[in-house]
Amino acid sequence: MEKLYDKYDRLHDYVRLSITDRCNLRCVYCMPKEGLPFFPTERVLSQDEIVQLVENFAEMGVSKVRITGGEPLLRTDVVDIVRRIKAVPGIDDVSITTNGLFLEKKAAALKAAGLDRLNISLDTFKPAVYQKITRGGHIQQVLDGINAASQLHFKKIKLNIVLIKGQNDDEVLDFIKYTKDHNVNVRFIEFMPIGNALRTWKKEYVSLTNVFDICRKAGLTYHPIELSGNGPSDNYQVDGYTGSFGLIHPISAKFCENCNRLRITADGYVKACLYWNEEINIRKAIPDKPAFRQLIQKALDNKPLNHEMALAETDRIIDKAPTWRHMSQIGG
């Protein structure tokens, strides 16, 4: 098996696969207030195309697939997609990132289909703040989904918190204390300037360097831990707590040097780097494995060492432009 390496000798064995650009929320870091025009159905990869694409990647050494969106649970065939991907030889880890609104209804079926892990977006515990960040969501649906999933013994449940200055950055301690009695990994994520004006983003960006200060001021002692998987977070556990917390800091402490992931958009493009505009349409090549591999390798050959997404001096960026897609159109 000839595995996938880029020119910096980074092995790529992880695919983040968006199965829809549609979402039932309008989160401030994910799409504009007015929403976005969604792709027509025929523009989105079919279930058979998705499975064949994963089979192609598995033959190239990919063993981990994360299903994303939009909101992936909006697809009526999401359970079948999970079941078929999990059955692909070589794929040993299948996970989903979801906003959790439909999770209470679908968690059991997803577990039965073979889903290994869940990432659930939950940026606040406050109903009013949740409505503001998501532009209309109801937090109790998410909490009910988390509770339902927690009863099913997934390998790991992670809660994703994008910190935004003046909106939820005062809840860091609340989330860390949540891990005292809940076996989840709470992950604080720095707000990224994807689909947002740089000036606006700078006003709302919060560095994660203060998380440790918050722990110390609260009298909490913690220690680093290793979690299974190959995600970008640095993980810690407060002494005596059941769960853990992680830091994903693409801005203040870049993790690009160890990046091992490729992103496939719902309309069949491969993005080797989350931030840059460069993407290659691979949809027509899905049935043709040699052509498919050639396009994937081309994307990897063009993958930069770093995203440089915090550069204010855009004229320093050579031969590249930030992606035109909003986060919901990429899959995160």
Side-chain angles (χ1 to χ4, degrees):
M1 178 189 299
E2 188 177 350
K3 297 185 177 181
L4 294 170
Y5 289 88
D6 66 10
K7 61 186 175 183
Y8 301 104
D9 205 34
R10 292 176 293 196
L11 173 65
H12 288 67
D13 58 2
Y14 174 18
V15 167
R16 296 180 64 97
L17 173 59
S18 175
I19 63 172
T20 181
D21 65 317
R22 296 175 183 270
C23 191
N24 44 359
L25 296 177
R26 301 287 183 273
C27 296
V28 296
Y29 50 78
C30 209
M31 67 171 70
K33 183 177 181 179
E34 64 275 13
L36 293 168
F38 296 133
F39 298 152
T41 302
E42 64 272 11
R43 186 172 168 182
V44 177
L45 293 174
S46 70
Q47 183 181 144
D48 286 343
E49 287 176 309
I50 288 169
V51 174
Q52 179 64 67
L53 179 147
V54 172
E55 290 175 351
N56 293 352
F57 273 120
E59 293 183 12
M60 302 175 199
V62 168
S63 60
K64 177 179 178 181
V65 176
R66 173 169 295 281
I67 298 169
T68 67
E71 171 47 48
L73 300 194
L74 284 177
R75 272 194 69 147
T76 57
D77 60 348
V78 63
V79 173
D80 291 329
I81 289 173
V82 169
R83 183 180 296 109
R84 293 182 67 186
I85 289 178
K86 184 67 175 180
V88 172
I91 301 298
D92 56 30
D93 189 282
V94 181
S95 56
I96 277 184
T97 295
T98 173
N99 63 31
L101 294 180
F102 289 168
L103 189 56
E104 183 180 22
K105 295 179 180 178
K106 297 191 176 184
L110 289 168
K111 183 67 167 61
L115 189 71
D116 295 293
R117 295 178 296 111
L118 278 166
N119 280 24
I120 305 166
S121 298
L122 180 65
D123 298 309
T124 177
F125 284 124
K126 301 174 182 177
V129 177
Y130 185 79
Q131 281 210 331
K132 181 178 180 181
I133 291 176
T134 62
R135 298 190 177 107
H138 298 287
I139 194 171
Q140 192 57 51
Q141 286 180 254
V142 186
L143 297 177
D144 290 343
I146 294 171
N147 289 336
S150 297
Q151 308 302 314
L152 296 171
H153 306 293
F154 286 94
K155 289 181 180 178
K156 179 60 67 176
I157 295 176
K158 299 178 181 179
L159 305 184
N160 291 342
I161 301 98
V162 177
L163 288 182
I164 306 171
K165 185 180 295 183
Q167 296 195 42
N168 64 350
D169 55 330
D170 61 339
E171 295 185 66
V172 170
L173 188 59
D174 295 332
F175 275 105
I176 291 176
K177 288 186 173 180
Y178 182 79
T179 68
K180 181 177 182 179
D181 300 313
H182 296 84
N183 187 21
V184 298
N185 178 236
V186 166
R187 308 197 309 169
F188 299 107
I189 305 171
E190 288 181 333
F191 184 23
M192 291 179 280
I194 295 177
N196 296 280
L198 198 62
R199 184 175 299 177
T200 302
W201 164 76
K202 283 186 173 181
K203 293 179 181 178
E204 298 179 327
Y205 166 75
V206 179
S207 171
L208 299 186
T209 54
N210 66 342
V211 172
F212 298 131
D213 292 333
I214 291 171
C215 285
R216 285 191 288 267
K217 288 178 182 178
L220 301 177
T221 56
Y222 56 88
H223 56 278
I225 62 170
E226 294 290 333
L227 292 179
S228 60
N230 48 12
S233 64
D234 298 323
N235 297 295
Y236 304 85
Q237 187 171 40
V238 175
D239 294 349
Y241 279 27
T242 301
S244 58
F245 69 93
L247 307 180
I248 299 179
H249 28 50
I251 308 300
S252 64
K254 295 174 183 173
F255 52 81
C256 299
E257 286 76 5
N258 298 315
C259 184
N260 66 335
R261 59 194 59 80
L262 287 162
R263 292 172 172 84
I264 309 300
T265 65
D267 55 340
Y269 286 77
V270 58
K271 290 183 70 68
C273 181
L274 172 65
Y275 186 57
W276 296 118
N277 191 44
E278 182 169 311
E279 54 185 43
I280 298 174
N281 190 336
I282 59 172
R283 187 173 192 176
K284 290 183 179 179
I286 290 174
D288 185 342
K289 291 181 180 179
F292 183 88
R293 183 184 179 95
Q294 186 176 28
L295 291 177
I296 298 302
Q297 192 60 56
K298 179 180 178 180
L300 284 175
D301 289 344
N302 292 333
K303 185 170 184 171
L305 181 61
N306 291 298
H307 54 60
E308 298 180 318
M309 68 172 67
L311 275 182
E313 303 86 356
T314 54
D315 58 338
R316 285 174 52 196
I317 301 172
I318 301 173
D319 295 332
K320 289 185 176 66
T323 181
W324 62 269
R325 295 180 189 259
H326 289 267
M327 192 69 82
S328 63
Q329 297 168 319
I330 300 172

